[in-house]
Amino acid sequence: MKLLLASRNAHKAQELAELLPGFSFVLWPPEAPEIPESGAFFQDNALQKATFARDWWAAHGTEAVEGVLADDSGLCVDALWGGPGVLSARFAPDLADYADKNRRLLSLMPPEAPRTARFVCVLALAPSQGQPLTVGGAVEGSLAFEPRGTQGFGYDPIFVPEGFTQTFGELASRVKHTLSHRGRAARALAERLR
Ligand code: IMP
């Protein structure tokens, strides 16, 4: 199944390609507009991205695809009232790289607060014809006290999945895939399509 991927995030694209080996992906082209994500919930944003990209591709696309896949995801920290959550990609816009963003996020943690957190991912698939569908996945865990590891991307170096001592930044990608929010959502999508 050939899908347009409604994202400019190269890390997400790589993970989704690894997680959904039966699919081939056309990447969102550099000349295409920014994809809006103005919803309050992951599901709203995933649907908004998928349908926006499908409509834009219908008018401007350069090759035929069977549908559009969008991923909306983020890190929800209990002690930060679920933040940065749907705003994960827009957290600390004054800082350019995630090493600094991760330190900023850790500095916001009240010292005695529980460090529980979860990654959440909603995937929306908008077929070229017909209604979109969504699937979700989450992984429970806790925040490390300092960033550790260089694997993965984004908040991976500060997230320790439940049952492990290493962060996603320290775990191999194949281990992250078995546990992660995106891995779970991707397997749910493959199951729904079967
Ligand atoms: P959005 O879905 O475009 O709003 O962006 C999601 C943001 O959440 C990413 O830019 C990352 O900051 C963060 N994020 C989502 N999934 C992961 C992950 O698997 N590892 C680390 N950070 C993630």
Side-chain angles (χ1 to χ4, degrees):
M1 195 175 193
K2 189 168 164 187
L3 298 175
L4 173 67
L5 188 60
S7 176
R8 288 198 204 286
N9 185 322
H11 300 286
K12 278 187 187 178
Q14 187 183 338
E15 289 200 352
L16 288 167
E18 289 168 8
L19 287 163
L20 294 166
F23 295 72
S24 68
F25 292 105
V26 176
L27 300 179
W28 189 240
E31 69 277 11
E34 283 304 310
I35 303 169
E37 48 174 314
S38 56
F41 300 100
F42 293 108
Q43 189 178 28
D44 296 339
N45 281 341
L47 281 168
Q48 184 182 23
K49 290 178 188 179
T51 52
F52 175 89
R54 179 181 63 183
D55 294 347
W56 188 86
W57 196 255
H60 307 279
T62 48
E63 57 186 294
V65 294
E66 288 168 78
V68 178
L69 183 66
D71 165 315
D72 199 65
S73 47
L75 178 64
C76 305
V77 180
D78 290 328
L80 303 178
W81 305 98
V86 289
L87 301 177
S88 292
R90 287 163 276 171
F91 173 72
D94 56 313
L95 301 175
D97 68 63
Y98 270 90
D100 296 326
K101 288 179 197 275
N102 280 331
R103 289 215 164 72
R104 168 81 56 83
L105 199 150
L106 292 180
S107 77
L108 298 177
M109 287 296 288
E112 305 300 328
R115 302 185 74 81
T116 47
R118 66 205 51 77
F119 270 121
V120 176
C121 173
V122 174
L123 295 176
L125 175 63
S128 299
Q129 312 286 335
Q131 290 301 310
L133 68 88
T134 59
V135 288
V139 53
E140 297 291 329
S142 61
L143 289 192
F145 284 90
E146 57 189 30
R148 285 189 268 122
T150 54
Q151 307 282 323
F153 69 101
Y155 302 101
D156 281 342
I158 60 170
F159 182 80
V160 180
E162 211 168 69
F164 288 76
T165 55
Q166 301 101 314
T167 66
F168 269 165
E170 295 173 305
L171 291 167
S173 60
R174 77 189 140 69
V175 181
K176 178 182 174 187
H177 289 343
T178 64
L179 309 166
S180 80
H181 51 318
R182 189 164 294 105
R184 288 173 192 201
R187 287 188 288 277
L189 179 66
E191 189 58 36
R192 275 282 281 280
L193 294 175
R194 242 195 301 275

